[in-house]
Amino acid sequence: MENNLLFFHFIEEEEQDILSFGYLLYSPSFSLISSGKKTNPHDILDLIEENIPICYDLLYFSADILSLYEKDGRPIDWDKKYFDLYALYKYKRHLHFYVDIFDCLTHLGLFHKTVDSNFDVEDADAKDMARLSRVIFEDFSLKYDGSSTGVLNGRLGWSDLRRQKKIGESLDEYADDSESARYMLSKSKKNKFLFFDIECSNTDYCEGKICEFSYCLFDSNFKLLEKKEILINPGEGEENDFKLLGRSDSRDLHLQYEENDYKAYRESPTFDKFMDEIEALLFDEDTIVLGYEVESDLRFLSYSFSRYERPLRNLVAIDVKRVYEEILSRGVGSLGDLVSRYVPSDEAASLRFHSALDDAYATGLVLKYFLLIKEIDFKTLFKDLSSDVVCLSSYAFSGIPELIDDEVYERLLKDGLL
C-alpha cells in the first residue's frame, strides 16, 4: 500500500468550521483506487501515513497536517516523506515569487485543457483541487522522466514536516529582517550602486560553483566608475565539473569562455584567492548592492565562502527583477526582455548575455534608463517599494530544504547555511 499515490488538498469550510481533505488515490500503475473527501483527523492521517502523499505547496498545508496530529492525539511522523509539486516547479522555473496552482497550470499550458468554463474557483471543493495536482504531476512525469511515476525517482521535491516547520519559521524571520533592512536602506546616505552577477560551472543541489564574478560600479547619477570581470577556477573533482550543455530539462547554457573545455576558467585561481577583494566590494559602507534574480547569487556566494571555511557576513542586496515586478504588478521575463524595453538599441547591441560582466552592466542600464524615463531618482523610487525587493544572504538557503536530499541537507545545516 505504501507505493500508492495520494494526491491531496485541504480547504477550510468556514460555514461548517471544518477542515476538508480531498484526495485521489492511485496505484503505482496509475489506476484510480478511490477518491473523495474526509474531515475526520484519524482517517486523513491514516491515508497520509499509509501512502505517498503528493500535493501542490506542502508548506501551505503543513500547518494543517500538524494540527490534525494534535487533534488526533497521535505522535507526529516527522520522518514521513511528502512530494511537493510546487517545490519542483519552483526549482525548474527558477522562481522567487509565489505561483498558485492555477497559474502553474496556465504556465504549463494545461489550464484550459483541465479546467472547463464551468469551474468556479470559489466553489471548488478539496477533491477538485486534488485533481489539479494530479494533472500537474502527470505533466511533470511525462516531460522530465517519460513515465507516469518516474518523477518520484528524482531527488527534488521530497520533504518532511520537520523541514517544512523550519522553512516556515525561517521565512517569518526573513520577512521581519528584510523589512528592517529595507528601512535602513531607505534612510541611508549611500551614493554608489554596485551591480554584480555570477556564473557557475554547475548548481547541483543549489550549491553554485562560481566560475565568473563580475561587477559594475556606478555613482549616484549612474555614471560608470568601474567595470571588472573575474574568472574563477570552480575547483577539481566531478562535483565541480561544467554541466551546462546537454541538460535534459533545460536549454544549453553557453559561457563566454567555454572553448577548449573551459580552459580560461580552469587556469584561473580558485575562489578563495578573491574573497578579500569580493568582500571589500560588497560591504563597502557607501555602496548599495543590486543584481538580477540576486537571491540565487547570494546563495552561490554564501556557499562559496562557507566552502572555504569563511562564513559570509549578512549581505543585503536589492533584486532589480523584483523591483520591476512590483512596479509593473506582474512577473517579468529575462533580463534581455527588460534590456529590449528600456535600453537604447545602440547600447543593447553590444551586450552578450551569460557573460557575467555584461549581465551586471545590463542590470545597471535597465535601472538607469527606467529612472530617466520616469524622471525619478532611485532613493525616491525605493521608498515606495516593499521589503520583497530586498534579499539577505543569511536566508539564501531558507526556502530550499525540500529541493535537496538528506546528505546535502545535513551538510548545509552543519555549515550554518540553513
Side-chain angles (χ1 to χ4, degrees), residues 64-75:
D64 292 329
I65 299 170
L66 290 171
S67 73
L68 292 175
Y69 275 103
E70 183 178 355
K71 291 175 182 176
D72 194 47
R74 76 171 79 181

Side-chain angles (χ1 to χ4, degrees), residues 105-146:
L105 286 165
T106 300
H107 295 163
L108 295 173
L110 300 171
F111 186 84
H112 294 296
K113 295 179 183 178
T114 58
V115 180
D116 61 38
S117 57
N118 296 320
F119 189 94
D120 189 332
V121 175
E122 298 297 326
D123 291 335
D125 63 22
K127 180 184 170 183
D128 292 332
M129 300 300 293
R131 181 179 67 84
L132 300 184
S133 294
R134 187 214 69 201
V135 171
I136 293 172
F137 176 84
E138 287 182 281
D139 187 70
F140 281 0
S141 298
L142 294 172
K143 282 184 177 177
Y144 299 127
D145 300 89

Side-chain angles (χ1 to χ4, degrees), residues 298-338:
L298 294 182
R299 187 178 304 135
F300 305 150
L301 281 172
S302 296
Y303 166 74
S304 297
F305 272 84
S306 174
R307 178 183 177 188
Y308 290 98
E309 300 181 350
R310 180 166 153 185
L312 180 68
R313 288 182 284 150
N314 189 28
L315 177 62
V316 177
I318 297 170
D319 190 335
V320 173
K321 182 177 183 180
R322 297 189 190 188
V323 170
Y324 280 98
E325 287 177 340
E326 188 163 319
I327 292 170
L328 301 174
S329 298
R330 61 175 176 81
V332 299
S334 67
L335 177 58
D337 294 334
L338 291 178

Side-chain angles (χ1 to χ4, degrees), residues 68-85:
L68 292 175
Y69 275 103
E70 183 178 355
K71 291 175 182 176
D72 194 47
R74 76 171 79 181
I76 298 172
D77 187 351
W78 293 111
D79 296 323
K80 178 68 179 179
K81 295 296 184 182
Y82 295 72
F83 193 81
D84 187 355
L85 294 164

Side-chain angles (χ1 to χ4, degrees), residues 84 91 156 184 221 390:
D84 187 355
Y91 182 82
L156 300 177
M184 295 299 293
N221 296 313
V390 178

Side-chain angles (χ1 to χ4, degrees), residues 157-200:
W158 290 100
S159 190
D160 54 50
L161 295 178
R162 192 184 307 277
R163 292 190 189 182
Q164 295 301 308
K165 187 172 184 292
K166 184 175 180 61
I167 293 171
E169 293 170 348
S170 181
L171 292 178
D172 287 342
E173 293 174 3
Y174 191 2
D176 293 338
D177 288 353
S178 59
E179 176 55 37
S180 177
R182 188 204 69 82
Y183 176 79
M184 295 299 293
L185 276 175
S186 69
K187 298 297 183 182
S188 75
K189 299 184 183 301
K190 298 184 178 190
N191 289 308
K192 292 186 290 186
F193 299 99
L194 179 76
F195 295 87
F196 80 99
D197 189 63
I198 285 170
E199 296 292 345
C200 296

Side-chain angles (χ1 to χ4, degrees), residues 1-6 25-28 33 50-54:
M1 189 184 296
E2 291 182 356
N3 291 323
N4 290 335
L5 311 180
L6 178 75
L25 185 64
Y26 285 82
S27 70
I33 299 173
E50 293 172 1
N51 300 287
I52 298 175
I54 304 170

